[in-house]
Amino acid sequence: MPKFDKYTLLARLLPAVIAVAPAFALVWVVITSGTELKLVHGIAGSALAALLWAFADAARRRGKAIEPKLIEAMGGLQSIVMLRHRDTTFDASTKARMQAFLAGKISEVAPTPQQEADNPEAADAFYKRAGDWLRENTRSQKKFDILFNENVTYGYRRNLYALKWLALALNVLIVAGCVAQYLFRWPLPADLGLVPVFVIAFLHASYLLAFSTRAAVFEAARTYARQLL
């Protein structure tokens, strides 16, 4: 049976579950409306772990697929951006100490402001290697719990944003199907209570439209990068 660590649960599985929440609500209403559905219950129970794992993997893959465009829109990976001399997230003296420390760790010389201006690609390559060193040496969830939690937040927002429009399309299809059920009473029982599905679909769409935004992903990325540095 697949095992879910904290990151997988919160950053991958949770966005996928939120994305298909109206579908879960509809399935729950259908299953609980009948009394002769023991086989369905059995199949659903045995397949649940594999299904959830598939959802988590799908969320991760979608998030990774859109990440390059998000990074480009932010002006680069934020751990690189914040190390640039021209960025103002950190004051000059703090940034100088950061660069000196990282330069020692990767056995290189940090670029000066003039060198960065003359050859920004080479400077960014140094900042990338420095950031890679930091990530490799801050993997301990216990020791760097605040950083880990910021990474979870970024992963959650990125993956949910990646699923946003697919989730809204699914929402519309389910609502349309429920409306058709009320109008034509087919193919489900006439007394099927679909009000909870409508309520969840409304809340689901409202949350995605209001809070699952590119700006929310950017904010999480910058918070994570700042904590990393």
Side-chain angles (χ1 to χ4, degrees):
M1 179 179 294
K3 295 183 179 180
F4 298 100
D5 57 24
K6 182 178 179 180
Y7 185 88
T8 300
L9 282 171
L10 298 180
R12 298 176 182 170
L13 180 58
L14 184 57
V17 170
I18 291 175
V20 297
F24 276 135
L26 179 59
V27 170
W28 177 258
V29 168
V30 173
I31 289 178
T32 57
S33 66
T35 57
E36 302 296 331
L37 292 173
K38 293 183 179 180
L39 178 60
V40 175
H41 284 94
I43 294 174
S46 62
L48 181 59
L51 184 62
L52 292 178
W53 184 264
F55 283 162
D57 182 63
R60 177 185 179 276
R61 291 173 64 186
R62 286 292 302 163
K64 286 292 186 181
I66 71 165
E67 191 167 49
K69 290 185 177 180
L70 291 173
I71 292 173
E72 182 181 0
M74 287 187 287
L77 199 65
Q78 291 302 289
S79 58
I80 294 176
V81 171
M82 291 182 184
L83 281 174
R84 292 171 181 161
H85 290 285
R86 59 188 183 275
D87 184 79
T88 59
T89 302
F90 298 102
D91 62 83
S93 60
T94 299
K95 188 174 299 183
R97 290 195 299 272
M98 288 179 176
Q99 292 186 0
F101 171 84
L102 292 169
K105 293 299 182 181
I106 63 176
S107 302
E108 296 185 32
V109 177
T112 65
Q114 187 60 50
Q115 289 171 332
E116 180 183 296
D118 293 340
N119 194 344
E121 292 81 10
D124 280 357
F126 169 85
Y127 302 144
K128 181 181 184 303
R129 290 189 292 274
D132 290 343
W133 183 91
L134 274 176
R135 279 182 285 274
E136 284 298 321
N137 288 274
T138 54
R139 292 188 179 278
S140 172
Q141 296 181 20
K142 183 177 181 180
K143 187 175 181 180
F144 302 100
D145 59 321
I146 296 176
L147 177 64
F148 174 74
N149 289 330
E150 296 297 351
N151 192 33
V152 169
T153 299
Y154 168 72
Y156 165 79
R157 292 188 187 181
R158 180 201 67 188
N159 293 341
L160 184 60
Y161 181 72
L163 296 171
K164 177 178 180 177
W165 298 109
L166 291 174
L168 289 172
L170 177 63
N171 193 324
V172 170
L173 289 175
I174 289 173
V175 169
C178 291
V179 170
Q181 159 63 16
Y182 270 118
L183 294 176
F184 303 107
R185 303 297 182 182
W186 180 89
L188 302 174
D191 59 348
L192 188 66
L194 293 174
V195 173
V197 179
F198 286 114
V199 173
I200 291 175
F202 173 77
L203 295 175
H204 174 259
S206 299
Y207 175 77
L208 289 178
L209 291 171
F211 298 106
S212 183
T213 63
R214 178 179 285 194
V217 180
F218 288 0
E219 178 189 29
R222 288 190 60 80
T223 302
Y224 167 76
R226 194 178 193 287
Q227 186 63 41
L228 176 68
L229 294 173

